[in-house]
Amino acid sequence: MPNVRLVVEYCGEGFSGWQVQPDQRTVQGELHRALEMVTGEALALPVSAGRTDAGVSAKRQVVCCTLPRQDEALLRKIMVGVSSILKNEVSILRAEVVPEDFHPRYDALRKQYTYTIWNHPSPPALLYGRCKHVSAPLHVQAMQIQGESLLGEHDFTSFRGSRCGAKSPVRKLESFTVHHRGDEISLEFRGPGFLKQMVRNIVGTLLLYGADPKRTPSVKAILEARDRKMAGPTAEPWGLTLDWIEYKEGRL
Amino acid sequence: MPNVRLVVEYCGEGFSGWQVQPDQRTVQGELHRALEMVTGEALALPVSAGRTDAGVSAKRQVVCCTLPRQDEALLRKIMVGVSSILKNEVSILRAEVVPEDFHPRYDALRKQYTYTIWNHPSPPALLYGRCKHVSAPLHVQAMQIQGESLLGEHDFTSFRGSRCGAKSPVRKLESFTVHHRGDEISLEFRGPGFLKQMVRNIVGTLLLYGADPKRTPSVKAILEARDRKMAGPTAEPWGLTLDWIEYKEGRL
């Protein structure tokens, strides 16, 4: 039975995250339901490259599912049908048969996440529900300098979510870029993998330096302390978007 | 009584355009209602720099209203209160007292509009309701070349909406820029003023060349014909956003 890879876009607002949970509307659950409706078959749950938290959006999440038959017309039907069933809250941007041993999580080489902040006394209208609103002016340069001190391979225990199940707390932050256009600040994180809530915990910490650039200790010192209690709060999920995932054939 | 200038952001989705109409939810009507609630006074209708059509969004629309008294605390109350009353569909980004003779429309020097197209076989999830979806791949370069042929001052009768009340059909297109990032194409138009539906009529025409780059006659020939019937259809309003307006003191 063919292993089908989907590139999936979704808006986090209407979902309790990726992973299926009883009595919750989740992306995995809704996608599964829509795929079963389109194919007319009972299917196993689709598997994603990453289980985004409630409220987190994805521009190009990568998902695999096993379909009952190899059929180009069925792939096209999935691309059209899923968006329509899920009222454009989820869209399938690509659907293709991949080798049976392809796994969206284990084969991922690199991911990019962007965290969006609206920095203005008033809340946003167009970005509402898709960013974190910070009223007081942020020292963006301080956030950038502190964030850059995390580049490279480190033990990220200080920025690890309490329910993170990863074996090792060591991760590599390959790039960290700040984009500042008008009232919108976006923080872009790229690396081979991230711990649970690592990006949101880093953002929540960087925001403390955005409010007070002279704050001590530095983010580097917090990292080296390997103590979650020294870092800042977890930034709200609705500012976070999974941008893309890279595999050996390139970014999807 | 002070003339108060507001910079207003709104998402076009939930409104039947700017202008008050019986039994319709409009930005002007809702803003008027919210301003009366916050000030506790009967106020004249607010006046904007431009009457955006139903579905059109604005990042920085400029609006004036006459308030009963000059009061800094009231201005702050408006910034916080209007967003809250209008559930973040409208946000006041700036509120200040300006000279009595300032007029948001007559004093405007320049405006920028952006039209956003999602060019992918599947509809978008994150941009849904905020762009025009075009399934077939567009020849973006052809759209750019044809659009650039409209630069300068011309009689834009061919791209004028049927209910346009302007005295003269002559307008100046100062700049036209195409941004193409992944599946998103945005067309940016800048000039001292635009006729009713002019931007959407130009976009609807450029899309014909995006579909068929060898199409004849050229956009320049359509312009010179001064005949609305030769141009393309009016592109849907939900792709259009008013970005900013420039006055002698700069962009607001």
Tab-separated table of all heavy atoms in Angstrom, chain A residues 6-10 15 25 30-31 33-35 37-38 75-94, chain B residues 118 120-126 128 133:
chain	number	residue	atom	x	y	z
A	6	LEU	N	2.126	14.295	2.159
A	6	LEU	CA	1.328	15.507	1.948
A	6	LEU	C	2.083	16.706	2.516
A	6	LEU	O	2.694	16.601	3.585
A	6	LEU	CB	-0.014	15.397	2.685
A	6	LEU	CG	-0.857	14.151	2.436
A	6	LEU	CD1	-2.070	14.146	3.385
A	6	LEU	CD2	-1.323	14.093	0.980
A	7	VAL	N	2.041	17.825	1.818
A	7	VAL	CA	2.509	19.089	2.401
A	7	VAL	C	1.250	19.850	2.786
A	7	VAL	O	0.379	20.094	1.941
A	7	VAL	CB	3.388	19.885	1.413
A	7	VAL	CG1	3.778	21.229	2.012
A	7	VAL	CG2	4.644	19.078	1.057
A	8	VAL	N	1.144	20.162	4.075
A	8	VAL	CA	-0.128	20.638	4.639
A	8	VAL	C	0.040	22.021	5.267
A	8	VAL	O	0.954	22.244	6.055
A	8	VAL	CB	-0.630	19.642	5.719
A	8	VAL	CG1	-1.983	20.080	6.272
A	8	VAL	CG2	-0.716	18.235	5.150
A	9	GLU	N	-0.864	22.930	4.900
A	9	GLU	CA	-0.892	24.263	5.517
A	9	GLU	C	-2.110	24.323	6.443
A	9	GLU	O	-3.184	23.856	6.078
A	9	GLU	CB	-1.049	25.318	4.414
A	9	GLU	CG	-0.919	26.750	4.940
A	9	GLU	CD	-1.316	27.819	3.911
A	9	GLU	OE1	-2.037	27.500	2.955
A	9	GLU	OE2	-0.916	28.973	4.107
A	10	TYR	N	-1.921	24.900	7.630
A	10	TYR	CA	-3.086	25.106	8.493
A	10	TYR	C	-2.908	26.312	9.401
A	10	TYR	O	-1.805	26.697	9.743
A	10	TYR	CB	-3.441	23.861	9.324
A	10	TYR	CG	-2.328	23.209	10.109
A	10	TYR	CD1	-1.991	23.643	11.391
A	10	TYR	CD2	-1.619	22.136	9.586
A	10	TYR	CE1	-0.988	23.025	12.120
A	10	TYR	CE2	-0.600	21.520	10.295
A	10	TYR	CZ	-0.288	21.968	11.556
A	10	TYR	OH	0.719	21.359	12.272
A	15	PHE	N	-7.798	24.945	16.140
A	15	PHE	CA	-7.448	23.576	16.507
A	15	PHE	C	-6.758	23.482	17.867
A	15	PHE	O	-6.012	24.380	18.244
A	15	PHE	CB	-6.505	22.974	15.449
A	15	PHE	CG	-7.123	22.880	14.081
A	15	PHE	CD1	-6.821	23.812	13.100
A	15	PHE	CD2	-8.021	21.866	13.793
A	15	PHE	CE1	-7.403	23.732	11.839
A	15	PHE	CE2	-8.607	21.773	12.538
A	15	PHE	CZ	-8.300	22.709	11.559
A	25	ARG	N	-10.876	19.171	18.811
A	25	ARG	CA	-10.733	19.333	17.369
A	25	ARG	C	-9.245	19.541	17.077
A	25	ARG	O	-8.682	20.581	17.404
A	25	ARG	CB	-11.559	20.547	16.934
A	25	ARG	CG	-11.666	20.705	15.446
A	25	ARG	CD	-12.765	21.716	15.094
A	25	ARG	NE	-12.887	21.781	13.650
A	25	ARG	CZ	-12.244	22.640	12.875
A	25	ARG	NH1	-11.452	23.534	13.406
A	25	ARG	NH2	-12.388	22.611	11.564
A	30	GLU	N	-8.905	15.975	12.268
A	30	GLU	CA	-9.718	16.516	11.168
A	30	GLU	C	-9.174	16.073	9.810
A	30	GLU	O	-9.929	15.763	8.898
A	30	GLU	CB	-9.759	18.050	11.241
A	30	GLU	CG	-10.591	18.573	12.400
A	30	GLU	CD	-12.033	18.113	12.321
A	30	GLU	OE1	-12.770	18.599	11.463
A	30	GLU	OE2	-12.408	17.227	13.127
A	31	LEU	N	-7.846	16.042	9.696
A	31	LEU	CA	-7.230	15.607	8.436
A	31	LEU	C	-7.562	14.130	8.186
A	31	LEU	O	-7.903	13.729	7.062
A	31	LEU	CB	-5.713	15.832	8.532
A	31	LEU	CG	-4.886	15.495	7.292
A	31	LEU	CD1	-5.352	16.279	6.070
A	31	LEU	CD2	-3.399	15.803	7.574
A	33	ARG	N	-10.176	12.465	9.303
A	33	ARG	CA	-11.588	12.396	8.944
A	33	ARG	C	-11.790	12.788	7.473
A	33	ARG	O	-12.497	12.110	6.713
A	33	ARG	CB	-12.375	13.351	9.864
A	33	ARG	CG	-13.860	13.397	9.657
A	33	ARG	CD	-14.542	14.258	10.719
A	33	ARG	NE	-14.320	15.686	10.561
A	33	ARG	CZ	-14.990	16.486	9.716
A	33	ARG	NH1	-15.964	15.990	8.955
A	33	ARG	NH2	-14.720	17.774	9.635
A	34	ALA	N	-11.135	13.880	7.050
A	34	ALA	CA	-11.295	14.348	5.666
A	34	ALA	C	-10.701	13.334	4.682
A	34	ALA	O	-11.284	13.070	3.626
A	34	ALA	CB	-10.638	15.721	5.499
A	35	LEU	N	-9.551	12.749	5.028
A	35	LEU	CA	-8.925	11.758	4.130
A	35	LEU	C	-9.815	10.520	3.999
A	35	LEU	O	-9.950	9.942	2.910
A	35	LEU	CB	-7.537	11.360	4.653
A	35	LEU	CG	-6.439	12.425	4.504
A	35	LEU	CD1	-5.199	12.045	5.312
A	35	LEU	CD2	-6.074	12.626	3.028
A	37	MET	N	-13.073	10.524	4.283
A	37	MET	CA	-14.229	10.926	3.464
A	37	MET	C	-13.864	10.929	1.982
A	37	MET	O	-14.616	10.432	1.142
A	37	MET	CB	-14.727	12.323	3.863
A	37	MET	CG	-15.597	12.325	5.109
A	37	MET	SD	-16.102	14.012	5.577
A	37	MET	CE	-17.295	14.396	4.287
A	38	VAL	N	-12.705	11.493	1.652
A	38	VAL	CA	-12.306	11.596	0.244
A	38	VAL	C	-12.037	10.214	-0.353
A	38	VAL	O	-12.441	9.921	-1.478
A	38	VAL	CB	-11.059	12.510	0.082
A	38	VAL	CG1	-10.530	12.464	-1.341
A	38	VAL	CG2	-11.393	13.943	0.461
A	75	LEU	N	-4.928	11.219	-5.667
A	75	LEU	CA	-4.077	12.277	-5.090
A	75	LEU	C	-4.650	13.658	-5.426
A	75	LEU	O	-4.697	14.546	-4.576
A	75	LEU	CB	-2.641	12.157	-5.608
A	75	LEU	CG	-1.868	10.890	-5.196
A	75	LEU	CD1	-0.438	10.949	-5.722
A	75	LEU	CD2	-1.868	10.715	-3.679
A	76	ARG	N	-5.110	13.816	-6.672
A	76	ARG	CA	-5.696	15.112	-7.060
A	76	ARG	C	-6.991	15.372	-6.279
A	76	ARG	O	-7.265	16.495	-5.853
A	76	ARG	CB	-5.977	15.146	-8.567
A	76	ARG	CG	-4.701	15.362	-9.412
A	76	ARG	CD	-5.042	15.764	-10.852
A	76	ARG	NE	-5.802	14.735	-11.542
A	76	ARG	CZ	-5.255	13.678	-12.161
A	76	ARG	NH1	-3.934	13.528	-12.185
A	76	ARG	NH2	-6.029	12.785	-12.763
A	77	LYS	N	-7.753	14.292	-6.080
A	77	LYS	CA	-9.015	14.400	-5.335
A	77	LYS	C	-8.744	14.835	-3.879
A	77	LYS	O	-9.495	15.617	-3.296
A	77	LYS	CB	-9.694	13.025	-5.354
A	77	LYS	CG	-11.207	13.044	-5.305
A	77	LYS	CD	-11.768	11.641	-5.561
A	77	LYS	CE	-12.930	11.352	-4.645
A	77	LYS	NZ	-13.354	9.932	-4.672
A	78	ILE	N	-7.651	14.332	-3.325
A	78	ILE	CA	-7.275	14.701	-1.948
A	78	ILE	C	-6.929	16.190	-1.879
A	78	ILE	O	-7.361	16.908	-0.976
A	78	ILE	CB	-6.076	13.836	-1.471
A	78	ILE	CG1	-6.574	12.421	-1.119
A	78	ILE	CG2	-5.367	14.472	-0.278
A	78	ILE	CD1	-5.466	11.439	-0.806
A	79	MET	N	-6.163	16.666	-2.881
A	79	MET	CA	-5.766	18.081	-2.863
A	79	MET	C	-6.973	19.014	-2.894
A	79	MET	O	-7.004	20.036	-2.220
A	79	MET	CB	-4.813	18.391	-4.025
A	79	MET	CG	-3.423	17.832	-3.763
A	79	MET	SD	-2.154	18.409	-4.926
A	79	MET	CE	-2.128	20.159	-4.639
A	80	VAL	N	-7.969	18.653	-3.694
A	80	VAL	CA	-9.166	19.500	-3.800
A	80	VAL	C	-10.121	19.252	-2.628
A	80	VAL	O	-10.655	20.188	-2.027
A	80	VAL	CB	-9.899	19.221	-5.142
A	80	VAL	CG1	-11.197	20.014	-5.226
A	80	VAL	CG2	-8.987	19.544	-6.320
A	81	GLY	N	-10.300	17.966	-2.290
A	81	GLY	CA	-11.361	17.594	-1.351
A	81	GLY	C	-11.095	17.991	0.091
A	81	GLY	O	-12.009	18.434	0.793
A	82	VAL	N	-9.851	17.832	0.548
A	82	VAL	CA	-9.565	18.090	1.968
A	82	VAL	C	-9.835	19.557	2.316
A	82	VAL	O	-10.492	19.863	3.314
A	82	VAL	CB	-8.124	17.657	2.337
A	82	VAL	CG1	-7.744	18.171	3.719
A	82	VAL	CG2	-7.988	16.139	2.282
A	83	SER	N	-9.356	20.490	1.485
A	83	SER	CA	-9.589	21.927	1.744
A	83	SER	C	-11.071	22.212	1.833
A	83	SER	O	-11.525	22.994	2.667
A	83	SER	CB	-9.055	22.798	0.593
A	83	SER	OG	-7.687	22.633	0.440
A	84	SER	N	-11.809	21.588	0.919
A	84	SER	CA	-13.235	21.848	0.853
A	84	SER	C	-13.958	21.288	2.088
A	84	SER	O	-14.755	21.982	2.720
A	84	SER	CB	-13.747	21.251	-0.460
A	84	SER	OG	-15.114	21.068	-0.404
A	85	ILE	N	-13.634	20.059	2.473
A	85	ILE	CA	-14.266	19.457	3.668
A	85	ILE	C	-13.901	20.253	4.920
A	85	ILE	O	-14.734	20.486	5.791
A	85	ILE	CB	-13.836	17.978	3.817
A	85	ILE	CG1	-14.417	17.138	2.681
A	85	ILE	CG2	-14.244	17.411	5.180
A	85	ILE	CD1	-13.791	15.760	2.540
A	86	LEU	N	-12.638	20.691	4.995
A	86	LEU	CA	-12.187	21.386	6.212
A	86	LEU	C	-12.290	22.911	6.077
A	86	LEU	O	-11.659	23.653	6.832
A	86	LEU	CB	-10.769	20.932	6.584
A	86	LEU	CG	-10.665	19.429	6.883
A	86	LEU	CD1	-9.250	19.050	7.265
A	86	LEU	CD2	-11.636	19.001	7.993
A	87	LYS	N	-13.136	23.367	5.157
A	87	LYS	CA	-13.493	24.785	5.015
A	87	LYS	C	-12.275	25.699	4.982
A	87	LYS	O	-12.245	26.759	5.604
A	87	LYS	CB	-14.456	25.196	6.126
A	87	LYS	CG	-15.746	24.385	6.089
A	87	LYS	CD	-16.788	24.936	7.014
A	87	LYS	CE	-18.133	24.276	6.799
A	87	LYS	NZ	-18.107	22.797	6.698
A	88	ASN	N	-11.250	25.259	4.241
A	88	ASN	CA	-10.039	26.050	4.046
A	88	ASN	C	-9.241	26.346	5.315
A	88	ASN	O	-8.348	27.175	5.292
A	88	ASN	CB	-10.358	27.364	3.312
A	88	ASN	CG	-10.908	27.079	1.932
A	88	ASN	OD1	-10.199	26.599	1.064
A	88	ASN	ND2	-12.197	27.315	1.745
A	89	GLU	N	-9.535	25.650	6.409
A	89	GLU	CA	-8.676	25.810	7.588
A	89	GLU	C	-7.423	24.952	7.444
A	89	GLU	O	-6.412	25.186	8.103
A	89	GLU	CB	-9.425	25.403	8.855
A	89	GLU	CG	-10.438	26.432	9.272
A	89	GLU	CD	-11.067	26.034	10.573
A	89	GLU	OE1	-11.966	25.155	10.553
A	89	GLU	OE2	-10.672	26.563	11.613
A	90	VAL	N	-7.531	23.910	6.612
A	90	VAL	CA	-6.396	23.035	6.298
A	90	VAL	C	-6.350	22.951	4.781
A	90	VAL	O	-7.386	22.822	4.137
A	90	VAL	CB	-6.597	21.626	6.894
A	90	VAL	CG1	-5.462	20.693	6.477
A	90	VAL	CG2	-6.723	21.681	8.405
A	91	SER	N	-5.143	23.049	4.210
A	91	SER	CA	-5.032	22.917	2.767
A	91	SER	C	-3.889	21.962	2.435
A	91	SER	O	-2.859	21.970	3.109
A	91	SER	CB	-4.766	24.296	2.155
A	91	SER	OG	-4.697	24.198	0.753
A	92	ILE	N	-4.105	21.109	1.441
A	92	ILE	CA	-3.058	20.172	1.016
A	92	ILE	C	-2.351	20.802	-0.177
A	92	ILE	O	-2.942	20.929	-1.251
A	92	ILE	CB	-3.668	18.812	0.602
A	92	ILE	CG1	-4.599	18.272	1.686
A	92	ILE	CG2	-2.558	17.809	0.262
A	92	ILE	CD1	-3.942	17.896	2.974
A	93	LEU	N	-1.106	21.197	0.020
A	93	LEU	CA	-0.387	21.928	-1.035
A	93	LEU	C	0.342	20.981	-1.984
A	93	LEU	O	0.743	21.370	-3.079
A	93	LEU	CB	0.614	22.902	-0.415
A	93	LEU	CG	0.002	23.951	0.526
A	93	LEU	CD1	1.084	24.886	1.050
A	93	LEU	CD2	-1.080	24.757	-0.203
A	94	ARG	N	0.524	19.738	-1.550
A	94	ARG	CA	1.253	18.783	-2.385
A	94	ARG	C	0.875	17.399	-1.900
A	94	ARG	O	0.696	17.200	-0.696
A	94	ARG	CB	2.741	19.042	-2.128
A	94	ARG	CG	3.669	18.577	-3.198
A	94	ARG	CD	5.038	19.227	-2.976
A	94	ARG	NE	6.059	18.267	-3.386
A	94	ARG	CZ	7.351	18.542	-3.467
A	94	ARG	NH1	7.809	19.735	-3.131
A	94	ARG	NH2	8.210	17.634	-3.870
B	118	TRP	N	-2.762	34.289	-4.429
B	118	TRP	CA	-2.212	32.989	-4.020
B	118	TRP	C	-2.232	32.121	-5.266
B	118	TRP	O	-3.302	31.784	-5.773
B	118	TRP	CB	-3.084	32.399	-2.913
B	118	TRP	CG	-2.757	30.982	-2.532
B	118	TRP	CD1	-3.454	29.862	-2.890
B	118	TRP	CD2	-1.697	30.535	-1.687
B	118	TRP	NE1	-2.888	28.757	-2.326
B	118	TRP	CE2	-1.799	29.139	-1.579
B	118	TRP	CE3	-0.656	31.183	-1.002
B	118	TRP	CZ2	-0.916	28.368	-0.828
B	118	TRP	CZ3	0.219	30.417	-0.250
B	118	TRP	CH2	0.087	29.034	-0.169
B	120	HIS	N	-1.463	28.777	-6.618
B	120	HIS	CA	-1.174	27.377	-6.281
B	120	HIS	C	-2.412	26.557	-6.653
B	120	HIS	O	-3.525	27.072	-6.558
B	120	HIS	CB	-0.874	27.293	-4.773
B	120	HIS	CG	-0.308	25.980	-4.364
B	120	HIS	ND1	-1.053	24.843	-4.245
B	120	HIS	CD2	0.958	25.631	-4.074
B	120	HIS	CE1	-0.272	23.840	-3.886
B	120	HIS	NE2	0.955	24.292	-3.775
B	121	PRO	N	-2.240	25.289	-7.033
B	121	PRO	CA	-3.430	24.483	-7.357
B	121	PRO	C	-4.443	24.403	-6.198
B	121	PRO	O	-5.654	24.405	-6.427
B	121	PRO	CB	-2.838	23.090	-7.656
B	121	PRO	CG	-1.410	23.341	-8.035
B	121	PRO	CD	-0.987	24.570	-7.289
B	122	SER	N	-3.962	24.356	-4.956
B	122	SER	CA	-4.879	24.295	-3.799
B	122	SER	C	-5.105	25.689	-3.237
B	122	SER	O	-4.221	26.540	-3.303
B	122	SER	CB	-4.269	23.442	-2.684
B	122	SER	OG	-3.948	22.167	-3.162
B	123	PRO	N	-6.269	25.896	-2.605
B	123	PRO	CA	-6.513	27.197	-1.961
B	123	PRO	C	-5.601	27.361	-0.738
B	123	PRO	O	-5.092	26.379	-0.208
B	123	PRO	CB	-7.980	27.111	-1.548
B	123	PRO	CG	-8.275	25.659	-1.441
B	123	PRO	CD	-7.394	24.962	-2.429
B	124	PRO	N	-5.405	28.584	-0.261
B	124	PRO	CA	-4.554	28.793	0.911
B	124	PRO	C	-5.337	28.549	2.196
B	124	PRO	O	-6.570	28.673	2.197
B	124	PRO	CB	-4.196	30.273	0.806
B	124	PRO	CG	-5.416	30.889	0.202
B	124	PRO	CD	-5.963	29.861	-0.758
B	125	ALA	N	-4.640	28.227	3.274
B	125	ALA	CA	-5.293	28.168	4.590
B	125	ALA	C	-5.033	29.486	5.325
B	125	ALA	O	-5.967	30.164	5.749
B	125	ALA	CB	-4.770	26.980	5.395
B	126	LEU	N	-3.774	29.888	5.434
B	126	LEU	CA	-3.459	31.086	6.229
B	126	LEU	C	-3.914	32.377	5.554
B	126	LEU	O	-4.325	33.309	6.226
B	126	LEU	CB	-1.958	31.133	6.541
B	126	LEU	CG	-1.546	30.124	7.622
B	126	LEU	CD1	-0.046	29.871	7.597
B	126	LEU	CD2	-1.956	30.625	9.006
B	128	TYR	N	-6.447	32.552	3.497
B	128	TYR	CA	-7.835	32.399	3.042
B	128	TYR	C	-8.681	33.643	3.395
B	128	TYR	O	-8.647	34.113	4.523
B	128	TYR	CB	-8.467	31.134	3.662
B	128	TYR	CG	-9.832	30.875	3.100
B	128	TYR	CD1	-9.984	30.431	1.799
B	128	TYR	CD2	-10.976	31.138	3.851
B	128	TYR	CE1	-11.245	30.230	1.254
B	128	TYR	CE2	-12.236	30.939	3.321
B	128	TYR	CZ	-12.357	30.488	2.019
B	128	TYR	OH	-13.610	30.301	1.476
B	133	HIS	N	-7.369	33.572	-5.186
B	133	HIS	CA	-6.745	32.291	-5.480
B	133	HIS	C	-6.760	32.049	-6.989
B	133	HIS	O	-7.816	32.059	-7.605
B	133	HIS	CB	-7.502	31.178	-4.739
B	133	HIS	CG	-7.009	29.798	-5.060
B	133	HIS	ND1	-7.822	28.698	-5.049
B	133	HIS	CD2	-5.783	29.368	-5.412
B	133	HIS	CE1	-7.113	27.637	-5.387
B	133	HIS	NE2	-5.879	28.019	-5.616
